[in-house]
Amino acid sequence: MKLEMEKTALVLIDLQNGIIGHHSAPYTPEAIIERAGELVKAFVAKGGFVVLVRVSTFDGKDMLHPATDQEQSTAAYPDGWDLIVPELATINGTYTMTKRQWGAFHGTDLDSQLRRRGIETIVLGGVSTGIGVDTTAREAFQLGYNQVFVEDVMGAANKEMHDYVCQTIFPRIGKVRSSAEVISYL
C-alpha cells in the first residue's frame, strides 16, 4: 500500500489535555501521544496536511444536549482541558480545528478543508476509538473518503470498546494499520 501525500490527510481526534487520560485503553496516553507525534512529524516532513481536532465549548450551550438514559456531567471544565497536548501542539505545519460534538465533520469546516486540498484519503486516529474517532469515521465514509485507521494511535475507555470498533466497524469502512505501517506507506 502506498499513500499519495497530495491526496492524503492525517486527522487526529481529541488528543487534548482533558480527554486523553480517560480514553487511552489498551495503550497508555504516553504511547498514543508518542506515536501520534511520529505520524505528525512524518506527514509534515512529506508536505502532508495534518488536522488536529479538539472538542471545546464557549459556554456549554453550543454543545449537544439530547435527552438520554445516561446522565450527562454538569461539572465545569477545568482550565486548559480543551488544549491539544503540548507534544503535538508545538509541531509546526498543522491545522487545528474545533468541534462541538463527537464527530469532526458536522458543523465544522473539515470537509471543505479536505476537498479544497484534493484529499481523498484520511489517516485517522485519536480518542475515543468508539466515540469521536468512530463517529468521524462514519461521517467520512458517508462523504466518500478512503480511510486508514491507525489502531495504535487510538484509545477508548476500555480495551473491549477499542477492540470491537477496530475489529468490527473499521474493517468495513477502511483499512486498519499500525503507525509503523502507515509511516512506511509514506
Side-chain angles (χ1 to χ4, degrees), residues 124-139:
L124 191 59
V127 295
S128 175
T129 309
I131 300 175
V133 180
D134 184 30
T135 303
T136 300
R138 291 173 192 239
E139 292 170 337

Side-chain angles (χ1 to χ4, degrees), residues 97-112:
M97 60 156 281
T98 302
K99 64 185 177 81
R100 310 280 184 213
Q101 62 283 320
W102 290 359
F105 282 95
H106 180 76
T108 72
D109 71 340
L110 181 57
D111 189 46
S112 295

Side-chain angles (χ1 to χ4, degrees), residues 43-66:
F43 265 76
V44 169
K46 299 276 187 178
F49 186 52
V50 176
V51 183
L52 303 176
V53 180
R54 70 185 192 129
V55 64
S56 187
T57 180
F58 172 70
D59 59 5
K61 295 177 183 176
D62 55 352
M63 298 181 93
L64 300 173
H65 299 284

Side-chain angles (χ1 to χ4, degrees), residues 13-14 20 26 29 39 62 69-70 91 125-126 141 143 158 174 176 183:
I13 307 296
D14 298 343
I20 182 72
L39 274 175
D62 55 352
D69 285 334
Q70 186 173 356
I91 301 172
F141 173 74
L143 291 167
N158 57 61
V176 180
I183 290 170

